[in-house]
Amino acid sequence: MIIVMNGKTDDADVEKVIHKLYEMGHKVHISRGERRIILGVIGDVENLASVPFYAFNGVEEIIRIVKPYKLASREFKDFDTIIKVKDVIIGGKEVIVMAGPCVIENEKQIFETARYVKASGAKILRGGAFKPRTSPYSFQGLGEEGLKLLAQAGEETGLAVVTEVMSVNQIELVGKYTDIFQVGARNMQNFVLLKELGKTKKPILLKRGLSATIEELLLSAEYILSQGNYEVILCERGIRTFENYTRNTLDLSAVPVLKRLSHLPIIVDPSHATGRWRLVSPMAKAAIAVGADGLLIEVHPDPRSSLSDGAQTLRLDTFTQLMKELSPIAQAVGRELGTSAENDLERMKN
Amino acid sequence: MIIVMNGKTDDADVEKVIHKLYEMGHKVHISRGERRIILGVIGDVENLASVPFYAFNGVEEIIRIVKPYKLASREFKDFDTIIKVKDVIIGGKEVIVMAGPCVIENEKQIFETARYVKASGAKILRGGAFKPRTSPYSFQGLGEEGLKLLAQAGEETGLAVVTEVMSVNQIELVGKYTDIFQVGARNMQNFVLLKELGKTKKPILLKRGLSATIEELLLSAEYILSQGNYEVILCERGIRTFENYTRNTLDLSAVPVLKRLSHLPIIVDPSHATGRWRLVSPMAKAAIAVGADGLLIEVHPDPRSSLSDGAQTLRLDTFTQLMKELSPIAQAVGRELGTSAENDLERMKN
Amino acid sequence: MIIVMNGKTDDADVEKVIHKLYEMGHKVHISRGERRIILGVIGDVENLASVPFYAFNGVEEIIRIVKPYKLASREFKDFDTIIKVKDVIIGGKEVIVMAGPCVIENEKQIFETARYVKASGAKILRGGAFKPRTSPYSFQGLGEEGLKLLAQAGEETGLAVVTEVMSVNQIELVGKYTDIFQVGARNMQNFVLLKELGKTKKPILLKRGLSATIEELLLSAEYILSQGNYEVILCERGIRTFENYTRNTLDLSAVPVLKRLSHLPIIVDPSHATGRWRLVSPMAKAAIAVGADGLLIEVHPDPRSSLSDGAQTLRLDTFTQLMKELSPIAQAVGRELGTSAENDLERMKN
Amino acid sequence: MIIVMNGKTDDADVEKVIHKLYEMGHKVHISRGERRIILGVIGDVENLASVPFYAFNGVEEIIRIVKPYKLASREFKDFDTIIKVKDVIIGGKEVIVMAGPCVIENEKQIFETARYVKASGAKILRGGAFKPRTSPYSFQGLGEEGLKLLAQAGEETGLAVVTEVMSVNQIELVGKYTDIFQVGARNMQNFVLLKELGKTKKPILLKRGLSATIEELLLSAEYILSQGNYEVILCERGIRTFENYTRNTLDLSAVPVLKRLSHLPIIVDPSHATGRWRLVSPMAKAAIAVGADGLLIEVHPDPRSSLSDGAQTLRLDTFTQLMKELSPIAQAVGRELGTSAENDLERMKN
């Protein structure tokens, strides 16, 4: 940690800061310049995190040098985390596609989608039963009925399933049906929820908040890891900027940055990021090219009748087409995608 | 609602959209231009909210004209909502100051602060017992012990109290001690929490999320109102922008905008918005001048030893000085602030 | 300057960085921690500004501690800069209001506005002759004809005038008519223009760019100051954020921040910031309360017929009303505003 | 254009707006709802652009439906614009890479870079002679001396060249040496410069401003096109957001959006967008995958000694490696990249 003080600060005031540092058990390096006095503290400064140095006279800036997260950092663990869900490997050579409707509507919809995305090469089925909707008047999901349908569709097709949990009081119920818990962007800093999920034994798909920095995403992952659950999948899904042609701005540079800072797998959600189905395919391709470990894509048999987010949802045939186009890009960056599935799709047609 | 379609769209495709609108019970006005075809639907279009028109061929833009919130809107109720907590009136002529430490640390700290801010003219005591901290390694609050101290300090001084509730499973406990529930910025879209708070009988102080639009803030208020609790106090506390000299960018224009769109009272938190105590006083003055109904200010007997947010916390004497400076500004805009308190402060000194 | 290197960096790589620093004439303080190695350079590090330390192995972060601007900083000059234009003092005790139409349309419009704003207490007349318009199809201003009208209106009323210069090839022409050169937000980093204006002898009103940080604004001021022109008036006029109810988000905290970092006067433009005339009055009040040295306000005899920005323009009577309301706020913060003008306005009515 | 008025507006006030529309030559469709009155104007509403409808009583919102740019729109021209510079085709099947140093430093540097990037498959040489630097104390470029070196290096290698022009008074000089004029992000709304460049006969590479929307970028292109120069190459180079790990946030979704809205070619600059050389390669790959027509990449024989932007600059060998990795991605999306160059590189090594 570096504490920058004004060069004209009284010696007594400088002394107060130094004294505080000694009191907290730290050795201080002092560099005096004409305009600035710099105090450097090396080593484990965790216990200084909540000392309000800005409240001391003369202090102009506090610079934290060691990252505030640990378990999520590549320094803590320098090989990639691999997460196994049923027989799917997330974070390995294969790029994993998770697909399905925004919200589970009925048996026909989720089963038809499940069979189709499975045949096209998706490995995980997504679908919402509890939906965080901006307006209280929008459809909020089928609740447990939806969870049951999702689990059944997963079982029939052999797909693992992922669905959102919005609150601590839903964890037990959702956990009965899902293979992976999803934490939505709006809940990325719902710290009570993160801590409780850290006590479960299932992987957590953690979406980046709309205005969360990369560091904050890793700190939220740290909340889960610190409770003993090491299986966190990070998800970039667009941040909020002034540009409003797209729903959000997909920050694809977050993928290589997170790969460098952390050992956790990172997937990309081009559907929520863009909010427009025409942009899903190009952004999905870019996500693979930039090094994502997986994709989360909204697919629906009939987006026009979808009860949520239809505008950004792919039709089944568009999804199949996309999967075909993604495969060579995955290969171009040394990965694999849905290859084993091609035969299935052929069989399904015959 | 206006649906804009490309001028070259096939008649059959235009017909599909019109058919959908009829099916949902709406009359459509059609205007055909060379480059655009415009379908206008007048009246209550609530049931169209989740129809994904973007998924229809030819649809280029959907424009919603009637605001998606109702109970929170000035159209629904054109006189200002007044909220009474103990003997404090929020949303009336008096500008209400809520002050206290970021986090409750011990008896001495909260009682000393309570007596002092009361004497300086504050009407409500704030203090955190459950703290949403970005890092899992930061101090997370005293929990129930803190709630008790807060309630006792409130009782002794006659101040009403406000404290944060972070999760549905804390509502009952926090409700035993607090007069006002605070929902933090990170929980502004924790819809499960909002709904449950809508079933309580206590006022809710709802902070704007870091990347929430004004419309989204009102939709979150609508979640609470729609459950029957009409006592919501909105709070502007800074949004996230590219500027990083300040912790956030305080969007003071939100105050007159919210006054125009809604009947709910609106207060401003200059402490979290700026993150620097030197900026708290000027921004507090600006907040009064722009028409805020109240302020939420962090005050601590010794910010240097504060366990949280010390950098943005005022000392007791700085707070008293600020209260004196705010009063003439309140008068300049036709309001009152802490006038009755001056005598108390004098008595306290003697 | 602080250079942070990874703790595992080879000694040889650390040595290369140190060598580079010695080569550039600097003494280095080295602190070795387990996870990080920190190199501190104290003193004048200007010659290091363009050394790409990130390109050296092991370098993780470069932290510049001394601000990159000098002449604009309060450290360089610790008393406030006062700018005198005709008999108007900018940066003194009086809050200076600059008012007038967005664009000069004809003689009647500019003379009527000039007389009226003068009578209401404004001290400087604004009006555009060359207009930077987002669309090439929008009205671009009257050019020299407009400049002449502006100068004549200024002369008749005794008001100083300010108008925008968009390009180096306009400086001479605009300089013949104006008392103050205005640099628009879109030209804040038109460095060629800034340098040439730095060679003139007239004050420069420099608007903050839509996505410019406070530091970048001061660096742009530095371009002007470094050429010998010390009379720069900074102007906060809103930054671009995700909120789109308002045209921009007025960052009022920039006022006290700039007051602390710089000695230059700072004014606020609530018209462009909000884009809505109803918000101009409350934000103007807030600007005075927060400590601005002046305001820049759009006023037009008939905003409905205005050729530019009519939506954010005040009518003459609304402007007069605002001036009356601003005066007590100025007094509440120890300033004065337009007091001498009240008599004029009375006379004008009789 | 749609004008939304409050449902409670007086008939006389509604009439005033309708009258204004008739006066301007437009037919109006009126839809009256309980809460809103909607006036629709179909057809060419260009002459309404500067009518300030917000200044009329009762007007709540103005919605422009037809895009404000024309010549740049795909509706105006529905086949892709192809730009030929020397023997390079921009906007065709081949993805064009433009590479070179941020700033031209000396003969050795620019010639060595030119030969190398040519051999690696780049088709255009970039290099700055006039540099827009945030600080007046940073190196500002060699001026004409730099232009000469650039032109010579281009001639020797057969590469076309591109360099920045910062001001109208530099157009003639820069035009003597360059094949393509570059307009930097900070000058995207320097409308005087855009208009003058629109009168030249050379292609313009127009960079998106740091806070410019996609629509504003197209309007700036429109400034050039409207003067008769139809050869504009759009360039996405990152926008400014709250995330500060990267210098800017590269908005790759702008590529497919621009492809849909406009016929102009679009390239991506991953160097300035990220500010970190390690991120250049992954983002370059993503740019190709998303459909960019070209890349603009900073390359330097020795980034550590670079006088500008060394942190984001690739070494020659890293660039060659990247070019090899890009080729299969280009193929995967049906494009070509630098294939003919491979032989050259082999020859160069021998």
Side-chain angles (χ1 to χ4, degrees):
Chain A
M1 178 189 273
I2 304 284
I3 298 174
V4 183
M5 301 187 71
N6 194 303
K8 294 174 188 156
T9 312
D10 285 351
D11 284 356
D13 282 329
V14 179
E15 207 46 53
K16 277 178 199 163
V17 178
I18 293 171
H19 180 75
K20 184 79 182 181
L21 290 167
Y22 280 129
E23 203 182 277
M24 305 293 285
H26 295 283
K27 248 183 81 184
V28 188
H29 291 75
I30 305 166
S31 318
R32 278 179 180 277
E34 205 182 324
R35 292 204 270 170
R36 294 287 184 277
I37 299 159
I38 300 194
L39 309 182
V41 186
I42 291 293
D44 195 341
V45 295
E46 218 173 279
N47 70 347
L48 298 180
S50 53
V51 179
F53 287 105
Y54 278 115
F56 284 74
N57 286 341
V59 171
E60 303 220 330
E61 215 166 337
I62 309 297
I63 300 159
R64 287 172 216 285
I65 285 169
V66 174
K67 298 295 175 246
Y69 46 86
K70 285 188 177 177
L71 305 174
S73 75
R74 208 163 258 291
E75 285 160 5
F76 177 76
K77 178 175 168 221
D78 66 4
F79 52 94
D80 290 352
T81 286
I82 299 279
I83 295 171
K84 196 162 176 298
V85 186
K86 287 190 168 171
D87 58 346
V88 182
I89 300 291
I90 301 167
K93 192 181 181 190
E94 188 181 353
V95 177
I96 299 302
V97 177
M98 311 183 182
C102 179
V103 58
I104 301 152
E105 293 165 13
N106 54 56
E107 187 177 325
K108 183 173 177 305
Q109 172 234 29
I110 190 68
F111 274 76
E112 186 178 347
T113 306
R115 285 175 205 133
Y116 209 94
V117 300
K118 158 85 175 179
S120 301
K123 294 297 162 69
I124 295 177
L125 178 66
R126 61 151 291 159
F130 293 104
K131 293 300 302 174
R133 302 299 298 269
T134 307
S135 163
Y137 307 121
S138 298
F139 176 55
Q140 314 261 329
L142 292 179
E144 185 167 8
E145 181 56 26
L147 293 173
K148 280 183 190 163
L149 292 172
L150 179 70
Q152 288 164 7
E155 208 166 331
E156 200 213 64
T157 52
L159 290 168
V161 302
V162 57
T163 196
E164 181 159 354
V165 57
M166 287 173 64
S167 182
V168 282
N169 57 358
Q170 293 173 353
I171 293 178
E172 198 186 328
L173 177 66
V174 175
K176 279 204 284 183
Y177 300 99
T178 198
D179 297 304
I180 303 174
F181 285 112
Q182 177 177 319
V183 177
R186 285 164 187 77
N187 271 323
M188 191 202 86
Q189 294 192 315
N190 182 335
F191 301 118
V192 177
L193 178 61
L194 298 178
K195 272 195 226 171
E196 289 306 312
L197 288 172
K199 296 171 188 161
T200 68
K201 305 275 185 220
K202 295 196 171 180
I204 313 297
L205 192 165
L206 177 64
K207 289 193 153 189
R208 181 181 183 183
L210 276 76
S211 63
T213 61
I214 289 170
E215 184 170 301
E216 287 170 341
L217 173 59
L218 288 173
L219 277 164
S220 285
E222 190 85 6
Y223 261 96
I224 299 167
L225 300 171
S226 69
Q227 301 299 312
N229 184 344
Y230 299 122
E231 304 204 315
V232 176
I233 303 157
L234 305 170
C235 179
E236 161 63 33
R237 46 78 73 214
I239 57 174
R240 191 160 267 187
T241 72
F242 61 84
E243 177 59 64
N244 52 23
Y245 187 91
T246 43
R247 186 165 165 178
N248 299 287
T249 298
L250 188 63
D251 177 14
L252 282 180
S253 57
V255 177
V257 170
L258 284 165
K259 283 276 166 204
R260 190 166 162 75
L261 297 177
S262 178
H263 51 84
L264 296 169
I266 163 98
I267 69 168
V268 170
D269 174 350
S271 305
H272 281 88
T274 61
R276 299 195 171 213
W277 69 265
R278 282 176 208 280
L279 300 176
V280 170
S281 290
M283 297 314 283
K285 291 175 191 172
I288 303 287
V290 89
D293 294 310
L295 295 171
L296 189 62
I297 296 181
E298 290 193 356
V299 183
H300 191 286
D302 179 12
R304 290 183 203 174
S305 73
S306 164
L307 295 180
S308 174
D309 283 344
Q312 68 199 33
T313 300
L314 297 188
R315 290 198 317 256
L316 300 179
D317 57 344
T318 316
F319 176 71
T320 302
Q321 178 60 31
L322 171 61
M323 290 295 282
K324 281 186 189 154
E325 292 171 10
L326 290 178
S327 185
I329 297 174
Q331 284 166 40
V333 293
R335 306 288 287 264
E336 278 170 15
L337 185 144
T339 41
S340 65
E342 287 191 16
N343 300 336
D344 297 349
L345 198 66
E346 282 310 301
R347 269 200 304 277
M348 203 173 170
K349 284 182 181 163
N350 299 330
Chain B
M1 176 188 276
I2 304 286
I3 298 174
V4 183
M5 301 186 71
N6 194 302
K8 294 173 188 158
T9 313
D10 285 351
D11 285 355
D13 283 327
V14 178
E15 206 47 53
K16 277 179 199 163
V17 177
I18 293 171
H19 181 74
K20 184 78 181 180
L21 290 167
Y22 279 129
E23 204 183 277
M24 306 292 286
H26 296 283
K27 248 184 84 185
V28 188
H29 291 75
I30 306 166
S31 318
R32 279 179 180 277
E34 205 181 322
R35 293 205 270 169
R36 294 287 184 276
I37 299 158
I38 300 194
L39 310 181
V41 185
I42 292 294
D44 195 342
V45 294
E46 219 174 279
N47 70 347
L48 298 181
S50 52
V51 179
F53 287 106
Y54 278 115
F56 284 74
N57 286 342
V59 171
E60 303 220 329
E61 216 166 337
I62 308 298
I63 300 160
R64 288 173 215 285
I65 285 170
V66 173
K67 298 292 174 249
Y69 46 84
K70 284 188 176 176
L71 306 174
S73 75
R74 207 163 259 290
E75 286 161 2
F76 177 76
K77 178 176 167 219
D78 66 3
F79 52 95
D80 289 350
T81 286
I82 300 279
I83 295 172
K84 197 164 176 296
V85 187
K86 287 189 170 174
D87 58 346
V88 182
I89 300 292
I90 301 167
K93 193 182 181 189
E94 189 182 354
V95 177
I96 300 301
V97 177
M98 311 184 182
C102 180
V103 59
I104 301 152
E105 293 165 15
N106 54 56
E107 189 177 325
K108 184 173 177 305
Q109 172 234 32
I110 190 70
F111 273 76
E112 187 178 345
T113 306
R115 285 174 206 132
Y116 209 95
V117 300
K118 160 84 175 179
S120 302
K123 294 296 163 68
I124 294 177
L125 178 66
R126 59 151 293 159
F130 294 104
K131 295 299 303 174
R133 304 298 299 269
T134 308
S135 163
Y137 308 120
S138 299
F139 177 53
Q140 313 260 328
L142 291 179
E144 186 167 8
E145 181 55 27
L147 294 173
K148 279 184 191 163
L149 292 173
L150 179 70
Q152 287 163 6
E155 208 166 329
E156 199 212 66
T157 52
L159 291 168
V161 302
V162 57
T163 197
E164 180 159 355
V165 57
M166 287 173 65
S167 183
V168 282
N169 57 357
Q170 294 173 352
I171 293 178
E172 198 185 328
L173 177 66
V174 175
K176 279 204 285 183
Y177 300 99
T178 197
D179 298 305
I180 303 174
F181 285 112
Q182 177 178 320
V183 176
R186 285 164 187 77
N187 271 325
M188 191 201 86
Q189 295 192 316
N190 182 334
F191 302 118
V192 177
L193 178 62
L194 298 178
K195 271 195 227 172
E196 289 305 312
L197 288 171
K199 295 170 189 162
T200 69
K201 304 273 183 223
K202 295 195 171 180
I204 313 297
L205 192 166
L206 178 64
K207 288 192 151 190
R208 182 182 182 183
L210 276 76
S211 64
T213 61
I214 289 171
E215 183 170 301
E216 286 170 343
L217 172 60
L218 289 172
L219 277 164
S220 285
E222 190 85 7
Y223 261 96
I224 300 167
L225 301 171
S226 69
Q227 302 298 313
N229 184 343
Y230 299 121
E231 304 204 316
V232 176
I233 304 156
L234 304 171
C235 179
E236 162 61 33
R237 46 79 72 216
I239 56 173
R240 191 160 267 187
T241 71
F242 61 84
E243 177 58 64
N244 51 23
Y245 186 91
T246 44
R247 186 165 166 177
N248 298 287
T249 298
L250 187 64
D251 177 13
L252 282 180
S253 57
V255 177
V257 169
L258 283 165
K259 284 276 167 207
R260 191 166 163 74
L261 297 178
S262 178
H263 51 83
L264 297 170
I266 162 99
I267 68 168
V268 170
D269 174 350
S271 305
H272 281 88
T274 61
R276 300 195 172 215
W277 69 265
R278 281 176 209 281
L279 300 175
V280 170
S281 290
M283 297 313 283
K285 290 176 192 172
I288 304 286
V290 89
D293 295 308
L295 294 172
L296 189 62
I297 296 181
E298 289 192 356
V299 183
H300 192 286
D302 180 11
R304 290 183 202 173
S305 72
S306 163
L307 295 180
S308 174
D309 283 345
Q312 68 198 31
T313 299
L314 297 187
R315 291 200 317 257
L316 300 179
D317 57 344
T318 316
F319 176 72
T320 302
Q321 180 59 32
L322 171 60
M323 290 295 282
K324 280 185 190 154
E325 293 171 9
L326 290 177
S327 185
I329 298 174
Q331 283 165 41
V333 294
R335 306 289 286 262
E336 279 170 15
L337 184 144
T339 40
S340 64
E342 286 190 15
N343 300 336
D344 297 348
L345 198 65
E346 280 312 301
R347 267 198 306 277
M348 203 173 169
K349 284 182 183 160
N350 300 328
Chain C
M1 178 189 274
I2 305 284
I3 298 174
V4 182
M5 301 186 72
N6 194 302
K8 296 174 187 156
T9 312
D10 285 350
D11 285 355
D13 283 328
V14 179
E15 206 47 54
K16 277 179 198 163
V17 177
I18 293 170
H19 181 75
K20 184 78 182 181
L21 290 167
Y22 279 129
E23 202 183 276
M24 306 293 285
H26 296 283
K27 248 182 82 184
V28 188
H29 292 74
I30 305 166
S31 318
R32 279 180 180 276
E34 204 182 323
R35 293 204 270 169
R36 295 287 184 275
I37 299 159
I38 299 194
L39 309 181
V41 185
I42 290 294
D44 195 341
V45 294
E46 218 174 280
N47 70 347
L48 299 181
S50 53
V51 179
F53 287 106
Y54 278 114
F56 285 74
N57 286 342
V59 171
E60 304 220 328
E61 216 165 338
I62 309 296
I63 300 159
R64 288 172 215 287
I65 285 169
V66 173
K67 300 293 175 248
Y69 46 85
K70 286 188 176 176
L71 305 173
S73 75
R74 209 163 257 290
E75 285 160 4
F76 177 76
K77 179 174 168 222
D78 67 3
F79 53 95
D80 289 351
T81 285
I82 299 279
I83 295 171
K84 195 163 177 297
V85 187
K86 288 187 167 176
D87 58 346
V88 182
I89 301 291
I90 300 167
K93 192 181 181 189
E94 188 181 353
V95 177
I96 300 301
V97 178
M98 312 183 180
C102 179
V103 58
I104 301 151
E105 292 164 14
N106 54 56
E107 188 177 326
K108 184 173 178 306
Q109 173 235 28
I110 189 69
F111 274 75
E112 187 177 346
T113 306
R115 286 175 206 134
Y116 209 95
V117 300
K118 160 84 174 179
S120 302
K123 295 295 162 71
I124 295 177
L125 178 65
R126 61 151 292 161
F130 293 104
K131 294 301 300 174
R133 302 300 298 270
T134 308
S135 163
Y137 308 119
S138 298
F139 177 54
Q140 313 261 327
L142 292 179
E144 184 166 9
E145 181 55 27
L147 294 172
K148 280 184 191 163
L149 292 173
L150 179 70
Q152 288 164 7
E155 208 166 330
E156 200 213 62
T157 52
L159 291 168
V161 302
V162 57
T163 197
E164 180 159 355
V165 58
M166 287 173 64
S167 183
V168 282
N169 57 357
Q170 294 172 352
I171 293 178
E172 198 185 327
L173 177 66
V174 175
K176 279 205 284 183
Y177 299 100
T178 198
D179 298 304
I180 304 174
F181 285 112
Q182 178 177 321
V183 177
R186 285 164 188 78
N187 270 325
M188 191 201 87
Q189 293 192 315
N190 183 335
F191 302 117
V192 178
L193 178 61
L194 298 178
K195 273 195 227 171
E196 289 306 311
L197 289 171
K199 295 171 189 162
T200 69
K201 305 272 185 225
K202 295 194 170 182
I204 312 298
L205 192 166
L206 178 64
K207 288 193 153 191
R208 181 181 184 184
L210 277 76
S211 63
T213 61
I214 288 170
E215 183 171 301
E216 286 170 342
L217 173 60
L218 289 172
L219 277 164
S220 285
E222 190 85 6
Y223 260 96
I224 299 167
L225 299 170
S226 69
Q227 301 298 313
N229 184 343
Y230 300 121
E231 303 204 316
V232 175
I233 303 157
L234 305 172
C235 179
E236 162 62 33
R237 45 79 72 216
I239 56 173
R240 190 160 269 188
T241 71
F242 62 83
E243 177 58 64
N244 51 24
Y245 186 91
T246 44
R247 186 166 166 176
N248 298 287
T249 298
L250 188 63
D251 177 13
L252 283 180
S253 57
V255 177
V257 170
L258 283 164
K259 283 277 166 205
R260 190 166 162 76
L261 297 178
S262 178
H263 51 84
L264 297 170
I266 163 98
I267 69 168
V268 170
D269 174 351
S271 305
H272 281 88
T274 61
R276 300 195 170 214
W277 70 265
R278 282 177 208 281
L279 299 176
V280 170
S281 290
M283 295 314 282
K285 291 176 192 172
I288 304 288
V290 90
D293 294 309
L295 295 171
L296 189 62
I297 297 181
E298 289 193 356
V299 184
H300 191 286
D302 180 12
R304 290 182 203 175
S305 73
S306 163
L307 295 179
S308 175
D309 283 344
Q312 68 199 34
T313 300
L314 297 188
R315 291 198 318 255
L316 300 178
D317 57 344
T318 317
F319 176 72
T320 302
Q321 179 60 31
L322 171 61
M323 289 297 280
K324 281 186 190 154
E325 293 171 8
L326 290 178
S327 184
I329 297 174
Q331 284 166 40
V333 294
R335 307 288 287 262
E336 279 170 15
L337 184 144
T339 41
S340 65
E342 286 190 18
N343 300 336
D344 297 348
L345 197 66
E346 280 312 301
R347 270 200 304 278
M348 203 173 169
K349 284 182 182 161
N350 299 328
Chain D
M1 176 188 275
I2 305 285
I3 298 173
V4 183
M5 301 187 71
N6 194 302
K8 294 173 187 157
T9 312
D10 284 351
D11 284 356
D13 282 328
V14 179
E15 206 47 54
K16 277 179 200 163
V17 177
I18 294 171
H19 181 74
K20 184 78 180 180
L21 290 167
Y22 280 130
E23 203 181 276
M24 305 293 286
H26 295 284
K27 248 184 84 183
V28 188
H29 291 76
I30 306 166
S31 318
R32 279 179 181 276
E34 206 180 323
R35 292 204 270 170
R36 294 288 184 275
I37 299 159
I38 300 192
L39 309 182
V41 186
I42 291 293
D44 195 342
V45 295
E46 219 173 280
N47 71 347
L48 298 181
S50 53
V51 179
F53 287 105
Y54 278 115
F56 284 74
N57 286 341
V59 171
E60 304 220 328
E61 216 167 337
I62 309 298
I63 300 159
R64 287 173 217 285
I65 285 168
V66 173
K67 299 292 174 251
Y69 47 85
K70 284 189 177 175
L71 305 174
S73 74
R74 209 163 258 289
E75 285 161 3
F76 177 75
K77 178 175 168 221
D78 66 3
F79 53 96
D80 290 350
T81 286
I82 300 279
I83 295 171
K84 196 162 175 299
V85 187
K86 287 189 169 174
D87 58 346
V88 181
I89 300 292
I90 300 167
K93 192 181 182 191
E94 189 181 353
V95 176
I96 300 301
V97 177
M98 312 184 181
C102 179
V103 58
I104 300 152
E105 293 164 13
N106 54 56
E107 189 177 326
K108 185 174 176 305
Q109 172 233 29
I110 190 69
F111 274 75
E112 187 179 345
T113 306
R115 285 174 206 133
Y116 210 95
V117 301
K118 160 83 176 179
S120 302
K123 295 294 163 69
I124 295 176
L125 178 65
R126 60 151 292 160
F130 294 105
K131 294 301 302 176
R133 303 300 298 269
T134 308
S135 163
Y137 308 121
S138 299
F139 177 54
Q140 313 260 327
L142 292 178
E144 185 167 9
E145 181 56 24
L147 294 172
K148 279 183 191 162
L149 292 173
L150 180 70
Q152 287 163 7
E155 207 166 331
E156 200 212 62
T157 52
L159 291 167
V161 302
V162 56
T163 196
E164 180 158 354
V165 57
M166 285 173 65
S167 183
V168 282
N169 57 355
Q170 294 172 351
I171 294 178
E172 198 185 328
L173 178 65
V174 175
K176 279 205 283 184
Y177 299 99
T178 198
D179 298 304
I180 304 174
F181 285 112
Q182 178 177 319
V183 177
R186 285 164 188 78
N187 271 324
M188 191 201 86
Q189 293 192 317
N190 183 334
F191 302 118
V192 177
L193 178 61
L194 298 179
K195 272 195 227 171
E196 289 306 312
L197 288 172
K199 295 171 189 162
T200 69
K201 304 275 184 222
K202 295 195 170 181
I204 313 298
L205 192 166
L206 177 65
K207 288 192 153 191
R208 182 181 182 183
L210 275 76
S211 63
T213 60
I214 288 171
E215 183 170 302
E216 287 171 342
L217 173 60
L218 288 172
L219 277 164
S220 285
E222 190 85 5
Y223 261 96
I224 300 168
L225 300 171
S226 70
Q227 302 297 313
N229 183 344
Y230 300 121
E231 303 204 317
V232 176
I233 304 157
L234 305 171
C235 180
E236 162 62 34
R237 47 79 71 214
I239 57 174
R240 191 161 267 187
T241 73
F242 61 83
E243 177 58 65
N244 51 23
Y245 186 91
T246 44
R247 186 166 166 178
N248 299 287
T249 298
L250 187 64
D251 177 13
L252 282 181
S253 56
V255 177
V257 170
L258 284 165
K259 283 278 167 203
R260 190 165 163 75
L261 297 177
S262 178
H263 50 84
L264 297 170
I266 163 99
I267 68 167
V268 170
D269 175 349
S271 305
H272 281 88
T274 60
R276 300 195 171 215
W277 69 266
R278 282 177 208 280
L279 300 175
V280 171
S281 290
M283 296 313 282
K285 290 175 192 173
I288 303 287
V290 89
D293 294 308
L295 294 171
L296 189 62
I297 295 181
E298 289 192 357
V299 183
H300 192 286
D302 180 12
R304 290 183 202 172
S305 73
S306 164
L307 294 180
S308 174
D309 282 345
Q312 69 199 33
T313 299
L314 297 187
R315 291 200 316 257
L316 301 178
D317 57 344
T318 317
F319 177 72
T320 303
Q321 179 60 30
L322 171 60
M323 290 296 281
K324 280 185 189 154
E325 292 171 9
L326 290 177
S327 185
I329 297 175
Q331 283 166 39
V333 294
R335 306 289 286 263
E336 279 169 15
L337 184 145
T339 41
S340 65
E342 287 190 17
N343 299 337
D344 297 348
L345 198 65
E346 281 312 301
R347 268 198 305 277
M348 203 174 171
K349 284 182 184 162
N350 300 329

